[in-house]
Amino acid sequence: RRSPDPQPLSAGGGGGKKGAAGKQTEGWAKDDEVTQCFLTGVKFTLVQRKHHCRYCGQIVCADVSKKTAKVPGRGVSEAVRVCDVCYEQLERGDPVCIAKQVAKLRSESETARQQAAKELANWASMDPQFADKGIVHAFEALRAPELLTELLQTATPDTQAGVAKLLSAMLGYDEYREPLHEERELLDAILALVRSGGTESKVSAMSALASLTASKSGRSEVRRAKGLVIVLDVLLNTSHEPLQEATCLVLANLCEDPTGDWKQLQQNGAVFSVAHMLGSASASLQEAALTLLAMLCSHKECREQAADSGVATSLTPLLGSTKPDVQRAALALAQQLCAFGRAADALLEAGAASPLAAMLLSPGTGSSEVVAAVLECLSRLADSGLTQAQRAVRNVGAVPHLIQLMSHQDGRISRFATSLVSSLCPGDVQNAEQLFESGGLVLLSEQLDSGDERAQLQALSALSQLSAEPVQAHAIVENGCLTSTLQLLEHPNQELRAYAAITFGNLCSAGALTPAQLQHPSVLPHLVAMLSSSNALAKGPAAAAIASMANQPSLRQSLHELGGLPGLAALLELDVETSYHAVQAIAQFAADERFRQVLPEAGAIGPLAGLLSSPQPHVQHCALSAVANLSFVPSAVGPLCQSGALTVVGQMLFSHDAAVQTMCLTTLCNLLGGNAASADALLQVGGHVALLTQLSSPSPDAQSQAAMSIGHMCRHRPAVQALLQAETVPLLSHLLHSPHPAVQLQTVYALGALAAEEEAAASAVQLAGAVAPLTTLLLSSGAVEVKQHIALTLAHTVRGSWRLVFNAGGFQALLDVLAAGSEAVQQDVSLTLAALLEDVHQRGALLADLNSISAIVGLLNSPNEGTQQNAAKAVAALAEEEAARETLYRLGTLSHVTRSLAAANTVRPDGTRGGAANPDARVSMVRVVASFAADARYCNMLRIAIQPLVAMLSAGGAEATVH
């Protein structure tokens, strides 16, 4: 029996009767079917009576139904008996009766179970009040966790799906997680449903797992239950988008912890499966997949897989999504991918820079984190492909916004913005124009004057790159940035000084500074000091600034006085850019004769020789220019040869660049001229072959220098053999016909040097037919010095066979040699003349030229005894001709001969004889007198010769006695 209720009820309350009383009892539990309290489980007895809760209709004991409350919709206005759970709910005004729904879940009706699960799930998912501790306590009191676990294990698939959905909603509240975690079999039931349930059940169960793994303890439970393997299997084998979404959420939660879960996903190819989901039309699935991929791609191995999966193509349109959550998730993934070079390249090719740039202008991009992420992505994409990034920023007109962000209070944003401005504006006309028009340079100038080191550093970082473009360099100066930059050259912060130096160096290189600005009182000493400073970043720009000044003689003098040359020489051995600026300046100094002597002392020789082998043509050319000028300094020749410069220059001579060839030839001429033995180094690299090639150059200067260099080489005997084997002589002989005097002169020198060393070389010159053109040059030249060079070359070539010269140029050629040659040459030539004039026909050819006879007679006064003897023979032969005697007489020859004979009979105090002491010479002179004595015109004039003649009758030899 039931105890009396506080309020009168109609009889038979459990059957759902008609009328008011029937309405009150509708849906009540039946007395005969209930044996224990719905809330406490206490069994009913004669003492423990049954009571119906007027709200939920369940039968409870008296201990939990002592309270009364008004129950709406029951047909009575008075307070009625209710259970403790319903009393709390009625007090709060909860929309759903928990006890009633739990009763349905306990019923045998699957329909009722499904309705109850749906009712509770809807309430839990839409009303935060569901997490009220009273409701949580009610669920615990009603033993809901055990009930839900049982239903997951035994109910029909539809009921299971509903229960899983309810669990998903409940686990979304922290207040329910602990009581649900205490139900040990619940997780196993959920995982079993994920593994083998129907599609809808799997979705609901996976959603429950997503809620469960939102907490660290839940994730630990799932790992202990080996849930990752089950979830991963679902991911790889389902195409159902709601299930994919829930699975991605679970995996994303698991990847939050620093465990190896991500590695297992990567090894099983999860990245490829998730990347494919980005093509879905479902925004929620896109977001979930993007979130998971972003977490996975924080690891290098996953980034590589993402790049291989072609994720960039799917990701790019999502960066421009109208769904804010999708866009942000896409940005998070892009941020990870941009850190990987290959993935960044793929994003760039897919056009990701455009939506990223557009995000800067989007009103929804207000968060500092989002703005920083966008800027970071753009910076990395600009590193991968500057042109595409410039185009993207240009198309959306983002430069003005970037300039505003440069002054953002968030340091990351201002740094990224400044970096982007400095990289995207240089080289892009439209972006640069936007920078200027939007006052970007003015803002940068203000940052320089701000006194804030961070702001100054950002501004100088931008200016250091912008100033690399000449147009922008001029704009920087025009916008007032120069003064501040100069002041920062002296800043105690080393990095600031470095960027200031880079900017200043670029301004100088671009020609943006006037001479007056370059000569600022604080500039030169500071720049010279920077050359030797410990700040490596500042050395290159300092060298660049000095290189731009070094073309002015007055500034070169100032730089030298400040001690800049040793510092510049030291920079020659640094990185390519620094050494280039340094060698530019050194080349300017080397071109100035005032400083050539100083450069070897400054230690420039070795580094310059090393730069001759630089792979950078501009560095190589400057170094070669400096070496060519230094080769004029005698003290530099030895060090240059020892440094191996000759070997490199010989190789460079093969260049097709005319300027390089000219400098190489100048260097070779000077080095070989100062150190002929260094020709060995040239021979080792085939440099002599390159010289021979230059003999055929269309440039007369090149031909001349090549011939001179060959001449210098010939002073080193081993070089002669190499040159002969290379068929040098025919090429040189051909140049004797050049219309250019300088070429001819140097060719004469080269042939002479070649023929002087070896008889074989002289024979080669003869065989090449060089004697004839040499003789022609001798006869045609009017300069005494030139005739002397030619005479010497002919002497080395003919080696005493002067008839070759006579055959080519007649007596005049021999007489020219006599006039220009040395004593030894005169002796050889005079002997040839004497022999030629013994031929009556040859004498006849000579008689027509009075000057020729005069030249022969003049040799009688030669200090060389052999020349005198040969001249006497020649005159004796001429005197046999009647016509010649008249000429000889007019030239005073007879008087000279008579005096010489008289002097020959005079013995000096030292025992020697004067005049023609040589017997052969006396014989020739007696012949002259005999010829004149036979001529009646001159016989009476010879009385003065009687005494020496009589003396010779007793003292002369047989031949003299006859004459």
Side-chain angles (χ1 to χ4, degrees), residues 785-845:
E785 187 178 354
V786 174
K787 282 183 176 291
Q788 289 173 344
H789 281 301
I790 299 173
L792 183 61
T793 297
L794 282 171
H796 292 320
T797 301
V798 300
R799 291 181 175 259
S801 301
W802 287 100
R803 282 184 178 270
L804 296 172
V805 177
F806 173 76
N807 294 337
F811 282 108
Q812 186 59 52
L814 294 177
L815 294 172
D816 280 4
V817 173
L818 283 173
S822 63
E823 289 186 8
V825 171
Q826 288 178 340
Q827 182 175 340
D828 277 353
V829 174
S830 61
L831 179 61
T832 301
L833 277 172
L836 286 170
L837 292 176
E838 292 294 337
D839 187 336
V840 63
H841 298 293
Q842 300 293 357
R843 291 199 296 267

Side-chain angles (χ1 to χ4, degrees), residues 748-787:
V748 168
Y749 165 65
L751 286 171
L754 189 64
E757 291 300 324
E758 292 187 8
E759 187 172 349
S763 299
V765 176
Q766 291 180 23
L767 291 173
V771 174
L774 283 170
T775 303
T776 302
L777 289 176
L778 177 72
L779 294 172
S780 62
S781 176
V784 174
E785 187 178 354
V786 174
K787 282 183 176 291

Side-chain angles (χ1 to χ4, degrees), residues 646-791:
L646 202 63
T647 301
V648 184
V649 172
Q651 294 171 327
M652 293 176 68
L653 189 56
F654 288 100
S655 169
H656 297 293
D657 188 323
V660 172
Q661 291 175 347
T662 300
M663 291 187 287
C664 286
L665 288 170
T666 299
T667 306
L668 291 176
C669 283
N670 293 334
L671 296 185
L672 292 170
N675 187 353
S678 62
D680 285 335
L682 193 63
L683 294 173
Q684 290 175 1
V685 295
H688 63 296
V689 178
L691 282 173
L692 297 183
T693 304
Q694 291 299 315
L695 294 178
S696 303
S697 168
S699 166
D701 291 337
Q703 292 176 336
S704 174
Q705 289 184 310
M708 183 187 295
S709 299
I710 290 172
H712 293 332
M713 287 184 69
C714 290
R715 292 158 44 206
H716 184 57
R717 185 175 290 273
V720 174
Q721 290 297 325
L723 290 169
L724 288 176
Q725 292 173 4
E727 299 294 330
T728 305
V729 175
L731 293 172
L732 288 172
S733 300
H734 178 73
L735 287 183
L736 290 172
H737 301 283
S738 171
H740 303 284
V743 176
Q744 293 175 332
L745 182 61
Q746 296 305 331
T747 303
V748 168
Y749 165 65
L751 286 171
L754 189 64
E757 291 300 324
E758 292 187 8
E759 187 172 349
S763 299
V765 176
Q766 291 180 23
L767 291 173
V771 174
L774 283 170
T775 303
T776 302
L777 289 176
L778 177 72
L779 294 172
S780 62
S781 176
V784 174
E785 187 178 354
V786 174
K787 282 183 176 291
Q788 289 173 344
H789 281 301
I790 299 173

Side-chain angles (χ1 to χ4, degrees), residues 51-391:
H51 300 277
H52 271 97
C53 173
R54 303 313 195 254
Y55 184 45
C56 65
Q58 301 307 310
I59 298 175
V60 294
C61 65
D63 291 339
V64 292
S65 59
K66 295 178 180 179
K67 298 176 182 177
T68 62
K70 294 182 179 180
V71 179
R74 282 293 181 178
V76 292
S77 58
E78 298 84 1
V80 294
R81 180 191 289 270
V82 291
C83 67
D84 289 352
V85 170
C86 291
Y87 176 82
E88 295 291 338
Q89 282 202 279
L90 288 169
E91 286 293 311
R92 286 192 301 270
D94 292 343
V96 177
C97 179
I98 297 173
K100 183 184 293 185
Q101 303 305 325
V102 170
K104 290 181 179 179
L105 290 174
R106 290 179 180 178
S107 71
E108 297 299 326
S109 169
E110 293 295 336
T111 301
R113 290 175 174 178
Q114 293 166 19
Q115 288 176 349
K118 181 178 180 181
E119 188 82 14
L120 288 171
N122 288 341
W123 181 24
S125 62
M126 292 186 293
D127 188 358
Q129 188 177 339
F130 186 79
D132 184 88
K133 63 181 180 180
I135 298 176
V136 175
H137 179 70
F139 267 96
E140 291 183 47
L142 293 169
R143 299 180 299 283
E146 297 93 323
L147 176 59
L148 295 175
T149 300
E150 181 183 352
L151 291 174
L152 284 177
Q153 294 171 334
T154 61
T156 62
D158 289 341
T159 301
Q160 289 176 331
V163 171
K165 186 175 181 181
L166 171 58
L167 282 170
S168 174
M170 292 173 69
L171 288 167
Y173 299 103
D174 293 337
E175 291 80 0
Y176 286 98
R177 286 175 186 152
E178 183 177 349
L180 288 174
H181 286 175
E182 292 176 356
E183 179 57 37
R184 298 299 180 186
E185 296 181 3
L186 178 61
L187 178 58
D188 293 335
I190 294 175
L191 290 174
L193 196 58
V194 167
R195 183 189 300 111
S196 57
T199 301
E200 291 302 321
S201 299
K202 284 185 176 181
V203 173
S204 299
M206 194 66 79
S207 298
L209 273 182
S211 298
L212 179 64
T213 53
S215 68
K216 187 172 183 179
S217 59
R219 294 192 290 272
S220 298
E221 290 293 331
V222 170
R223 291 190 188 96
R224 279 196 291 270
K226 308 298 182 184
L228 177 61
V229 176
I230 299 171
V231 176
L232 180 57
D233 182 65
V234 172
L235 177 76
L236 299 176
N237 293 287
T238 185
S239 59
H240 186 63
E241 290 192 351
L243 182 55
Q244 289 176 329
E245 178 186 340
T247 306
C248 287
L249 292 176
V250 173
L251 293 173
N253 289 339
L254 290 171
C255 288
E256 284 186 11
D257 297 332
T259 62
D261 292 347
W262 69 269
K263 189 71 174 177
Q264 192 168 349
L265 269 64
Q266 180 259 333
Q267 291 174 345
N268 284 275
V271 173
F272 295 95
S273 297
V274 179
H276 182 70
M277 298 176 191
L278 298 183
S280 168
S282 167
S284 56
L285 175 56
Q286 291 171 346
E287 181 186 354
L290 287 167
T291 302
L292 175 57
L293 279 175
M295 300 186 74
L296 290 173
C297 289
S298 62
H299 305 281
K300 179 183 176 183
E301 296 86 345
C302 293
R303 287 196 294 270
E304 291 177 353
Q305 285 190 349
D308 293 336
S309 72
V311 71
T313 305
S314 303
L315 175 60
T316 297
L318 298 181
L319 288 168
S321 173
T322 57
K323 307 288 185 182
D325 292 338
V326 173
Q327 190 180 48
R328 291 195 180 191
L331 178 60
L333 176 56
Q335 194 173 8
Q336 295 293 346
L337 292 177
C338 285
F340 179 55
R342 190 153 52 87
D345 292 340
L347 282 172
L348 200 63
E349 290 298 321
S354 294
L356 283 169
M359 286 176 71
L360 288 176
L361 307 181
S362 173
T365 314
S367 164
S368 294
E369 289 294 329
V370 174
V371 173
V374 173
L375 292 174
E376 181 182 357
C377 289
L378 280 174
S379 294
R380 294 187 182 278
L381 291 180
D383 292 338
S384 292
L386 183 60
T387 303
Q388 294 96 319
Q390 285 176 326
R391 182 169 58 248

Side-chain angles (χ1 to χ4, degrees), residues 896-917:
H896 177 82
V897 169
T898 303
R899 287 195 301 274
S900 294
L901 288 174
N905 292 324
T906 304
V907 180
R908 299 188 179 113
D910 60 358
T912 62
R913 294 179 178 270

